[in-house]
Structures are given as structure tokens and as C-alpha cells.
Amino acid sequence: MSIVYLVGSGPGDPGLFTVKGAELLMTADVVVYDWLAPKELLTWCREDAELIYVGKKGGDHTLPQDQINALLVQKAREGHEVIVRLKGGDPYMFGRGAEEVEELVAAGIAFEVVPGVTSAIAATAYAGIPLTHRDYASSVSFITGHEGEGKEETAHRWEALAKGTSTLVFFMGVKNLPTITQNLMDHGMDPDMPAALVHWGTTCRQRSFVSTLAKITDEAKNLGYKPPSLLVVGKVCLLKPKLDWFEQRPLLGKGVVVTRAREQASELLGTLQNLGACCYEFPTISIEPMDDYGPLEDAILRLQEYDWLVFTSVNGVEFFFKVLHEIGLDARALGGLEVAAIGPATAERLTGYGILPDFVPEKYVAEHVVQGLVELEIKGKKVLIPRAEKAREVLPEELSKAGAQVDVLPVYRTSLAASDPEEVRQALAEERIDYVTFTSSSTVDNFFKLVPAEEIKKHLGHLRLACIGPITAKTLQGYGFTPHIQPEEFTMPALVQAILEDAAQPK
């Protein structure tokens, strides 16, 4: 039996999406989604799910409401078991969800409603405005700032709104802001009543300000406020300076392109997003397994012939241990070997498999691995290096020169990721990107295969390029760019810290 689920996607922060909503997205055959639904939620969907965009933005309707209603009925009649109608905010809070359900009822189609966190509550909380407070407000009203087209008479009782409720929250309030504020003042509300606008609440694009009922229209125009924005009217707005927290994030609104492979990007993305950045996930490399792991299996079965096992990346660790486990072995197979890791991230991943590296260099590049191993008397020792198919040859060549017997074993390969550059190029053109991060030479090379270097040069007055270390920086210089940011320590936390320090500098 087909069931249509009206699911509220919440106010914009994907972390405020409900558990039940996530469970439904993971099982849905069809997902019909809106403009305000966070695109990150679509990553929950099955790869074979049919995704249909029906967004409505500022009067520009991809699909009119009556056709959306018909679409839901059509998909149910096609026999799909789980159909998710993903709507911004809460389905029944000025979202026309009831109209869609009425159409389903008339067609005899089963439905369920999964509420979402409404922006009226979430965006105001993120802006430091509590809707109720013992000293300021004991009631709150939610009001649409944009009534249905064709209505001859407003449903609003302006005198009651002006005098009867402590806090007013107007959805979609920017377009009709002059009318709303004038009606409230005409019906008895003090022109000096505090009022606030919250734009793109709970997202990295959030901004807000507090004014008065009489002045907020002019200030909103001067500040360029547009939809989607909430209007809040009431004395609770006075608490914003004290309770503001979200807009204190140091990278709020800063656009950052993350070029790491999708498999590796989550930690960097999460850190930047927690600091308020608007992240553009733009993987330029794809991590792929080798076609034949016979050579690796053979080397694993002969591990006791080696003295040192040297890992140059987290990916090398992952693929090595995956094959190790597949042939029925575990970390005990490394007994008696010395293990080296090129840096702390690689060392941490080894620790996850029960291996504490015997050597991690002070600086996390191949040259320092060589130096450290030479000091540990690598001469005459047999070394195995599981690594990418294509990589710098400094490490094996220099170890061989130092008298070691080196076997290099490819355990994964990298290739150009199939990323669509259109979103990044559009954001560049609109100057919404402040930083592009490069974490390896391959991310640099592949980025410029997708986005021409000449296009980047047009935006250098606004754009900052960040490299994790000198090798990556040297590759970037080959394209005619000098990195603006390069941390002294070649790690992700150090790269983030360097971006923070740069963002704090007056421009």
C-alpha cells in the first residue's frame, strides 16, 4: 500500500531534522522537496530514490500548488510504497500542507504527517530572542505576513494583534513589512515597540537585527533584507544583545570550498560548519580500490620478512587493514614490525586498529619521514609502503639511497571526482565564497580541471586560497597562485586555525 508522508524539514539547520523524518528519507521511493528544505537532508535518500524538486521561491513556482497536489496523487497511484513530501519548516505551519492532505484524502490515499521544527521557534532562538519570558511576554502569536491571493478581506484582526499578544511572529514578513508595521501602529501599538528581523534563521547565512516598529522598514531596506525572513515584534527582542549566541560564531557567513575526497571531508566540513561557515562540498578527487589485491594479500602473508611498515595516508591504512581482515587476519599479523605514520591523522587511524606507531615525524611530509627513519638506522632494513597508486616518489627513493630495501605497494587510486562545478562557479560569481581549501597536490590539480584558473584570478580581491602544507602550496604556485594561508603544522586542525586567524584580521 502506498503512503504519502508529509515531513517537515525543519528551519534550515539539518541538525534540527527529526529522527522519524530521517528514517523515512532512508526508505523513500520518491521524495518531493521544496526550496527551503536543506539539501543536506537529501543525502539520507537511497541512491535509487526518485528526487523531484517543486520549490517555490519568491513567487517563482517550479510547479504550481495544484500540480504538486496532483503529483503526490500520481506517485501514490503508480504503486510506490513510501512517498515523502519534504516541506520547509513544519507542514502545517503556513506551509499549505493541509491542502495537500485534503487532495490525498479526496483521492483515497493513505497519509501521515511528521511535524518539523518551525522557524518561528528555531530561528528566534538562534537569534537570541526567546518568544516568552517571565518579565516580558506570556503569550505569542504566529501570523502569516503573506495571505492567500484573491482574498477580499484580511483575516487579521489588527487591533487584537496590536493589543492582545505579548510577542508577534510574522512568517514571510519582509515583502509586506511596511503594511504590517503601519497596521500595528494604526491600531494602537507603540511605534517604539522593539522589533527584529531574522534572515535565513538557523543557517550559516543567518543575520538579524533589532529596531523599533517605526524604524524597522527603512532599516531593513538599507540593510538589504529579503525573504526568507521572520519579523518578531515584542519586548523580548530587547534580550537579543544578551542572549545572542549563534551569530557569535567566528566564521558565520564565510563561504568555504572543501576540495577533499568525500570519504575524507566529514571532519573538516563538520569543524568548519560548527564555526559557522557556509561550506561548499566540492570533492575534486575520488578514492577508489585497486582492481587486484593479490599483490597486497601476498605481501601481508609475508609481513614477517619486513622490518618497517610505513603508512603515508589514512586511506593507505584503511585499505591495508580492509584486505588484512578479508583474509582472516588482524593486528597481530604486524607483530615484530616497526610501524611509521606520516602524521597524526594517519597515526590516529592506526590506533583505531590497535597499532601504536613507533615513529611519527615532527613535520608531516615525506622528507621528514626519511630523516627520522635514517636516524633510526633504516640502512639494511626492508620497508613496505602501502600507498596510493600515484604519489610522490621522494620517500621510496630517499629511503633506497639511505640503504633500505623498499617495496612500494599501491593499495588505492585517486581519480578526478565527478563533481558539478556549477554551484561553486555561481557562488564565486556572486562573491559568496571567501576561502578555497586545498589539502593535497591532487586536490589542486583536479580543482583547476573543473574551475579554470583564469576564473579564480577574477575573484582574488575577495577570495583567499588556503593550503595545508608546502608541497600543496608548490603545486598551487604552478598555476600562478601564491597561497594566502598556510599553517606551520600540516594538519587539518592547524588549517582551520589558520583560517580562523585570517578571518579575524581586518580586511
Side-chain angles (χ1 to χ4, degrees):
M1 180 180 72
S2 296
I3 300 180
V4 177
Y5 295 87
L6 264 72
V7 178
S9 67
D13 181 348
L16 299 180
F17 192 47
T18 64
V19 172
K20 185 167 185 178
E23 291 173 347
L24 288 169
L25 283 182
M26 287 189 283
T27 60
D29 303 297
V30 180
V31 178
V32 180
Y33 65 100
D34 278 347
W35 174 55
L36 288 175
K39 67 176 184 179
E40 294 91 339
L41 300 184
L42 300 180
T43 61
W44 291 94
C45 300
R46 296 181 350 221
E47 289 187 4
D48 63 339
E50 182 181 4
L51 307 181
I52 305 173
Y53 175 65
V54 295
K56 291 175 282 185
K57 177 182 177 182
D60 180 13
H61 293 213
T62 300
L63 205 64
Q65 187 62 52
D66 60 339
Q67 293 185 34
I68 295 174
N69 300 345
L71 176 65
L72 296 176
V73 172
Q74 174 194 332
K75 290 301 173 182
R77 286 177 173 168
E78 286 177 2
H80 303 288
E81 290 187 16
V82 178
I83 301 157
V84 169
R85 172 70 173 104
L86 190 62
K87 299 179 68 66
D90 177 84
Y92 281 177
M93 185 64 74
F94 304 121
R96 305 189 73 172
E99 297 173 43
E100 295 176 9
V101 167
E102 287 176 314
E103 192 80 13
L104 295 172
V105 170
I109 293 167
F111 73 93
E112 292 185 17
V113 179
V114 180
V117 178
T118 175
S119 59
I121 294 173
T124 51
Y126 274 48
I129 303 172
L131 297 183
T132 62
H133 188 279
R134 288 182 63 183
D135 296 332
Y136 297 105
S138 57
S139 59
V140 59
S141 294
F142 297 157
I143 311 130
T144 178
H146 180 71
E147 296 188 79
E149 296 179 5
K151 291 180 67 173
E152 295 182 1
E153 183 179 350
T154 178
H156 298 335
R157 298 294 178 258
W158 289 105
E159 185 173 3
L161 292 173
K163 298 179 180 179
T165 307
S166 303
T167 305
L168 307 178
V169 182
F170 289 87
F171 290 71
M172 302 167 285
V174 172
K175 182 178 180 181
N176 295 322
L177 187 57
T179 302
I180 294 169
T181 54
Q182 192 61 53
N183 271 312
L184 290 173
M185 290 186 289
D186 288 348
H187 289 83
M189 184 172 280
D190 184 350
D192 290 328
M193 177 65 72
L197 277 177
V198 186
H199 177 65
W200 276 113
T202 78
T203 75
C204 63
R205 297 167 65 183
Q206 176 178 310
R207 59 181 180 137
S208 60
F209 74 98
V210 176
S211 182
T212 65
L213 198 61
K215 297 178 180 178
I216 195 167
T217 297
D218 288 339
E219 291 190 27
K221 183 178 180 180
N222 291 336
L223 293 170
Y225 271 67
K226 296 179 180 179
S229 297
L230 282 175
L231 169 65
V232 188
V233 181
K235 292 182 180 179
V236 290
C237 296
L238 294 172
L239 292 164
K240 176 175 170 56
K242 182 190 297 185
L243 303 184
D244 191 6
W245 61 276
F246 185 73
E247 291 174 42
Q248 305 308 309
R249 296 186 174 194
L251 294 181
L252 187 69
K254 298 292 186 182
V256 184
V257 176
V258 176
T259 58
R260 295 196 88 190
R262 184 164 279 113
E263 298 88 346
Q264 298 174 311
S266 58
E267 180 182 354
L268 180 59
L269 278 169
T271 301
L272 291 169
Q273 287 168 343
N274 286 336
L275 292 167
C278 295
C279 290
Y280 295 83
E281 189 174 5
F282 186 58
T284 59
I285 58 175
S286 176
I287 307 300
E288 300 174 355
M290 302 299 294
D291 295 328
D292 179 15
Y293 277 108
L296 177 57
E297 292 177 4
D298 180 62
I300 288 173
L301 294 174
R302 296 184 294 103
L303 278 178
Q304 298 310 312
E305 297 179 10
Y306 293 93
D307 302 290
W308 278 93
L309 183 59
V310 180
F311 290 98
T312 59
S313 69
V314 170
N315 288 318
V317 174
E318 293 288 359
F319 282 99
F320 179 88
F321 277 91
K322 182 176 185 294
V323 174
L324 181 80
H325 293 159
E326 285 176 352
I327 61 177
L329 300 174
D330 57 25
R332 289 174 292 183
L334 277 63
L337 275 78
E338 303 280 359
V339 179
I342 198 169
T346 305
E348 182 180 0
R349 197 68 198 95
L350 281 167
T351 302
Y353 286 107
I355 302 297
L356 296 176
D358 299 283
F359 172 68
V360 181
E362 291 185 5
K363 291 191 176 181
Y364 315 128
V365 291
E367 288 81 352
H368 285 268
V369 176
V370 172
Q371 180 182 335
L373 292 179
V374 169
E375 292 174 359
L376 291 171
E377 299 180 354
I378 198 71
K379 183 177 181 180
K381 302 294 179 65
K382 192 170 182 181
V383 180
L384 177 64
I385 306 177
R387 66 168 206 185
E389 184 178 40
K390 293 182 180 179
R392 296 176 69 223
E393 298 300 332
V394 172
L395 182 59
E397 288 178 355
E398 293 301 316
L399 288 178
S400 295
K401 289 179 183 178
Q405 180 182 339
V406 182
D407 289 340
V408 174
L409 195 59
V411 296
Y412 68 96
R413 61 168 59 100
T414 61
S415 63
L416 178 65
S419 295
D420 184 353
E422 186 55 37
E423 180 186 20
V424 167
R425 296 178 72 175
Q426 181 67 30
L428 280 168
E430 296 172 1
E431 294 196 343
R432 289 187 284 111
I433 292 178
D434 301 274
Y435 298 95
V436 179
T437 62
F438 298 107
T439 56
S440 68
S441 291
S442 56
T443 62
V444 175
D445 289 330
N446 289 353
F447 179 83
F448 288 111
K449 289 177 182 176
L450 297 167
V451 180
E454 292 304 315
E455 193 167 335
I456 296 298
K457 290 177 182 177
K458 296 177 184 177
H459 303 287
L460 286 181
H462 174 75
L463 186 64
R464 312 280 285 173
L465 306 180
C467 287
I468 197 168
I471 306 303
T472 306
K474 185 177 180 181
T475 305
L476 184 64
Q477 288 165 0
Y479 290 90
F481 300 97
T482 299
H484 303 93
I485 298 167
Q486 183 183 318
E488 292 186 9
E489 186 176 283
F490 318 143
T491 65
M492 294 302 161
L495 180 63
V496 172
Q497 183 59 37
I499 292 173
L500 279 170
E501 292 171 1
D502 183 82
Q505 296 297 317
K507 299 295 190 290

